[in-house]
Amino acid sequence: MQLESSGERTTTSTAIFGFPFSIGDDPTVMPAGAYVIHTRERSYTRAHGTAFIAVSVEVEVQERPGSTSYRVVKPSHFETALAMDKVRTSSSYR
C-alpha cells in the first residue's frame, strides 16, 4: 500500500558537535560547535496516527560574523555525523 503525504513541516533545533566533522561525501571539515538545524519533514496519516519522516536537513553555517550559509544534506548523513561525534566524545572521557 502506497502512502500519500498529507503535508510538510519544518522543525528547528540545535546540534552540538564536540569535534570537527564532515557530513556525507563532502570533504569540507566544519569546526566543532553549536549549529542551528532545520529539518524538513513530510507527514503521513493513517488510521492509527500521523508519522513524520525527515526528507532533508539544512545546517546553518556561520562563515564569518554577519554571513551565514546553508548546507542541505541527507538526514541519514547528518545523523551519522552526529552519532560519530557522540562516539568520539564518549571515548575521550574514558
Side-chain angles (χ1 to χ4, degrees):
M1 168 196 223
Q2 176 104 10
L3 291 177
E4 288 191 31
S5 175
S6 57
E8 287 191 4
R9 73 178 183 183
T10 300
T11 59
T12 301
S13 60
T14 301
I16 299 172
F17 286 87
F19 294 89
F21 66 100
S22 60
I23 298 175
D25 297 331
D26 186 345
T28 304
V29 176
M30 297 174 37
Y35 290 83
V36 175
I37 307 301
H38 305 282
T39 304
R40 189 168 59 93
E41 302 170 309
R42 286 201 182 113
S43 62
Y44 297 91
T45 303
R46 295 185 59 177
H48 62 277
T50 301
F52 292 92
I53 308 297
V55 293
S56 69
V57 173
E58 188 175 86
V59 181
E60 285 189 22
V61 180
Q62 299 298 319
E63 300 291 338
R64 61 189 173 279
S67 177
T68 302
S69 67
Y70 298 87
R71 296 189 51 208
V72 178
V73 299
K74 291 180 180 181
S76 60
H77 290 176
F78 179 76
E79 291 300 326
T80 297
L82 197 56
M84 289 176 66
D85 184 75
K86 288 184 189 219
V87 167
R88 288 179 69 190
T89 299
S90 65
S91 65
S92 69
Y93 289 112
R94 291 184 183 175

